[in-house]
Amino acid sequence: MIRVLMGLGYYEVGGFKTVIDNLSKYLPRYGAEVTVAARVVRVEPPNYVNLVKLTPEEFLQEAKHFDIIHIHQSYPYLSIAAKARLTNVVFTSHGFPPIWVVPGVFNKLIHIYINNIGYKLIFRKYKPVTTAISMYVQNQLKNMYNLNSILIPNGIDLTLFKPSKDTKKPGYPTIINITSYNRFKGSDILLRSFMAIKRKYPEAKLIARNLSKAERLPNSVKKDVIDLDFLPYEELPKWYANADVYLLTSRWESFGLPILEAFASGIPVIAWDRDDARREHIINSGAGLFFRDSKSLLEAVDEILRDWQEYSRKGINYAQRFGWDLVAREYVKLYEKVLSNENTKQ
């Protein structure tokens, strides 16, 4: 069994936690025992995640007891690994958001320093085995740091997210977006887009998460919004099963887990057109469309409803490429290769 110390900055609700939890769940099936280390812990992990809170210095000491050190986008952990010249490190990049997406002046300054100075100084002399979660992130690493990387995407739990047995017969669409709870995720764009849809489809419904906490809902749309509070990951599929279209309005996506969740559930995606990882999924699958304004949004809704079954079928087929089983196997192969190179050096 390969012993893996998996490090990340913040263990908190969100896509990052979803990835770490699933890797902890699936990697042991293929020969990798995982301990997760985080600098900040804000939620309790599921029982299958062995989580410890470690400072960078503690992380370095703990690393001595593991075969592979797998760091997920944590600058402090990577920095101390670089100083110690650790050679059994796998670094996974989850992408670098553009500066205009980062909230607050202080956060922007930290972002500029880490991405434009910190990582550059590290990668100038230290070349860990690096993976990228999308082609978009691969290009970022190459353009920003002249760093080559291996593409290993995030995954989807295909035992959890699967098509509903009920045959969809869309008329007035039920729109879903269950990540939209702040400006970064485009809650303002979601609300404006839904109001545009309602002008053409007055009985349209919206399933969203914490939308009313991020945006003031007009009385005219409140009755048609199912506003969910905190939602356990395991309950997401039942809400996808009640929807016809996923409306992605986030300002930036380095991978786009909700796109894969929707596709696996048989739900086509209409995405606000941005030059990031969402384009890979929508274009490569043929299971969704883009919009840039109200006119193109309504055209996309009309098109999806007109040929819903075909878009749904394409999404289901595409999602099968991203099962966590497949992702876990790829990581274990990479771990074995790193260990083999280590043994050769010795």
Side-chain angles (χ1 to χ4, degrees), residues 221-289:
V221 302
K222 277 185 180 179
K223 63 182 178 61
D224 293 318
V225 175
I226 301 171
D227 198 6
L228 306 172
D229 204 341
F230 173 75
L231 197 63
Y233 184 67
E234 294 75 16
E235 292 186 21
L236 293 179
K238 75 176 183 181
W239 292 104
Y240 280 108
N242 287 303
D244 301 310
V245 177
Y246 194 100
L247 186 58
L248 186 80
T249 57
S250 52
R251 287 176 160 80
W252 181 73
E253 292 287 350
S254 61
F255 180 74
L257 276 175
I259 299 174
L260 271 297
E261 292 170 354
F263 282 169
S265 305
I267 307 303
V269 175
I270 297 176
W272 187 36
D273 195 3
R274 311 300 298 165
D275 186 18
D276 56 27
R278 76 191 72 193
R279 297 192 64 83
E280 298 170 34
H281 298 310
I282 300 296
I283 293 172
N284 293 338
S285 68
L289 296 170

Side-chain angles (χ1 to χ4, degrees), residues 44-55:
E44 287 294 318
N47 57 17
Y48 54 84
V49 176
N50 180 23
L51 176 67
V52 292
K53 182 180 177 182
L54 299 176
T55 65

Side-chain angles (χ1 to χ4, degrees), residues 42-258:
R42 289 178 173 160
V43 293
E44 287 294 318
N47 57 17
Y48 54 84
V49 176
N50 180 23
L51 176 67
V52 292
K53 182 180 177 182
L54 299 176
T55 65
E57 292 73 22
E58 292 169 335
F59 182 82
L60 183 60
Q61 290 300 313
E62 194 67 20
K64 299 174 183 178
H65 306 293
F66 290 84
D67 303 310
I68 293 291
I69 312 305
H70 189 165
I71 300 172
H72 289 261
Q73 201 80 21
S74 171
Y75 175 75
Y77 283 167
L78 184 64
S79 179
I80 203 162
K83 289 177 182 176
R85 309 302 296 175
L86 297 183
T87 56
N88 58 337
V89 173
V90 173
F91 174 70
T92 292
S93 176
H94 291 256
F96 306 91
I99 187 64
W100 60 270
V101 170
V102 178
V105 175
F106 182 68
N107 288 334
K108 288 182 189 297
L109 292 174
I110 293 176
H111 179 81
I112 291 171
Y113 172 78
I114 289 177
N115 293 336
N116 295 303
I117 300 174
Y119 276 121
K120 282 187 178 179
L121 291 175
I122 288 176
F123 293 138
R124 190 172 296 168
K125 297 181 179 180
Y126 184 62
K127 303 290 184 183
V129 175
T130 302
T131 73
I133 61 172
S134 64
M135 289 184 287
Y136 168 77
V137 173
Q138 269 193 316
N139 290 334
Q140 277 193 322
L141 291 169
K142 189 66 177 176
N143 293 335
M144 294 171 69
Y145 310 116
N146 195 29
L147 191 65
N148 294 321
S149 59
I150 301 164
L151 176 61
I152 301 181
N154 289 332
I156 181 77
D157 188 340
L158 296 174
T159 65
L160 191 61
F161 296 94
K162 47 193 173 183
S164 169
K165 293 180 181 178
D166 299 328
T167 302
K168 297 285 184 179
K169 296 180 180 178
Y172 284 101
T174 296
I175 308 297
I176 189 169
N177 180 315
I178 42 182
T179 63
S180 194
Y181 48 84
N182 57 37
R183 292 273 170 161
F184 175 76
K185 292 296 184 180
S187 58
D188 54 325
I189 302 167
L190 174 62
L191 182 56
R192 288 199 304 270
S193 300
F194 179 61
M195 292 176 69
I197 291 171
K198 278 189 67 64
R199 285 194 286 272
K200 183 166 185 178
Y201 295 95
E203 296 182 30
K205 308 293 182 186
L206 173 63
I207 301 170
R209 184 161 62 177
N210 291 329
L211 181 61
S212 62
K213 293 181 181 180
E215 300 297 329
R216 184 175 178 180
L217 300 178
N219 291 330
S220 59
V221 302
K222 277 185 180 179
K223 63 182 178 61
D224 293 318
V225 175
I226 301 171
D227 198 6
L228 306 172
D229 204 341
F230 173 75
L231 197 63
Y233 184 67
E234 294 75 16
E235 292 186 21
L236 293 179
K238 75 176 183 181
W239 292 104
Y240 280 108
N242 287 303
D244 301 310
V245 177
Y246 194 100
L247 186 58
L248 186 80
T249 57
S250 52
R251 287 176 160 80
W252 181 73
E253 292 287 350
S254 61
F255 180 74
L257 276 175

